[in-house]
Amino acid sequence: MTVKIAPSILSADFARLGDEVAALDSAGADYIHVDVMDGHFVPNLTIGPAVVKALRPCTRKLLDVHLMIEPVDPYIPAFVEAGSDIVTLHAEATRHLDRSLQLVRSLGCRAGVSLNPATPESVLAYVLDKVDLILVMSVNPGFGGQSFIPACLDKIRRLRDMVAGRPIEIEVDGGVTAANAPAVIAAGADVLVAGSAVFCSADYAANIRALRGKL
Ligand code: DX5
Ligand code: ZN
């Protein structure tokens, strides 16, 4: 199975976001990764549910919504109603991870959980049956264009063993490039998020192919 690519629109031209999403769709993106930041959980502000709703008609690909917000539970229904296919929240941003994940699924959405670089994978031990996707942060969240933290490769390998045969995707986010993608895939990633590596030049299709290792 080939790895899935989820371009992050954090690096897109925000003045032309709908066109950018449509371009990623035609360029072969598997998911469209939407980074939601609150200026509190992470030191940056981006977009809210109204933007997700506006982007929904621009693509039939899955909208992979990464919530870097705290508190998170009060905003989950709005992001699901806006058309998110996957809602991923941070284990560090909820006191009741099990409850937050149940809330996402109860609304008919796939539930993802994300771990910051310093958070051990053991926090997921008792929620594996409530998770559809695990998002391994390979940078400290908040900004695009940072460098990949190599220690995350070990975490990806441990998570691969931990999920065993369960239907859970492992997604890796932050500093992923065509150069380090083979190591990330070998460690066990199913989905690569990439912002700068997709938007670094105008040929998004070529940049996506390069991340898959197909030139
Ligand atoms: C970081 C975001 C990432 C980021 C990826 O907080 O969650 O999705 O935008 O961008 P690059 O690929 O440039 O690290
Ligand atoms: Zn992200």
Side-chain angles (χ1 to χ4, degrees):
M1 232 195 62
T2 84
V3 72
K4 292 178 183 168
I5 306 297
S8 163
I9 59 168
L10 188 60
S11 299
D13 177 353
F14 273 36
R16 306 173 36 253
L17 215 40
D19 293 344
E20 292 273 65
V21 166
L24 292 171
D25 184 321
S26 353
D30 295 290
Y31 300 165
I32 306 295
H33 187 82
V34 181
D35 285 309
V36 177
M37 304 185 182
D38 67 350
H40 168 74
F41 180 68
V42 290
N44 197 2
L45 283 165
T46 54
I47 65 173
V51 176
V52 174
K53 188 175 179 188
L55 293 176
R56 183 64 280 183
C58 303
T59 181
R60 295 173 76 171
K61 303 287 170 75
L62 299 195
L63 289 180
D64 171 30
V65 176
H66 178 192
L67 300 181
M68 287 161 273
I69 63 176
E70 182 184 19
V72 62
D73 289 11
Y75 300 99
I76 288 171
F79 281 100
V80 175
E81 279 159 28
S84 308
D85 297 289
I86 307 167
V87 165
T88 297
L89 50 96
H90 270 259
E92 305 87 358
T94 175
R95 285 198 191 168
H96 304 288
L97 178 58
D98 184 287
R99 175 184 288 150
S100 301
L101 292 168
Q102 285 196 56
L103 173 59
V104 176
R105 279 200 175 167
S106 74
L107 299 169
C109 195
R110 294 194 209 177
V113 58
S114 182
L115 303 180
N116 282 336
T119 303
E121 64 285 353
S122 55
V123 300
L124 303 180
Y126 299 101
V127 293
L128 289 174
D129 58 338
K130 291 172 177 136
V131 163
D132 301 293
L133 177 144
I134 297 169
L135 175 53
V136 179
M137 286 308 306
S138 40
V139 297
N140 290 293
F143 304 95
Q146 304 181 78
S147 299
F148 186 88
I149 297 171
C152 299
L153 290 173
D154 204 35
K155 192 190 286 184
I156 299 164
R157 282 190 280 269
R158 288 166 189 262
L159 279 166
R160 189 81 264 163
D161 290 345
M162 208 169 144
V163 305
R166 294 178 180 85
I168 299 175
E169 289 192 315
I170 297 178
E171 184 176 46
V172 179
D173 185 5
V176 176
T177 63
N180 62 27
V184 178
I185 296 165
D190 301 300
V191 187
L192 305 181
V193 176
S196 1
V198 170
F199 288 94
C200 60
S201 65
D203 192 345
Y204 301 162
N207 297 339
I208 288 172
R209 279 197 304 275
L211 286 160
R212 291 191 211 278
K214 294 180 180 149
L215 288 167

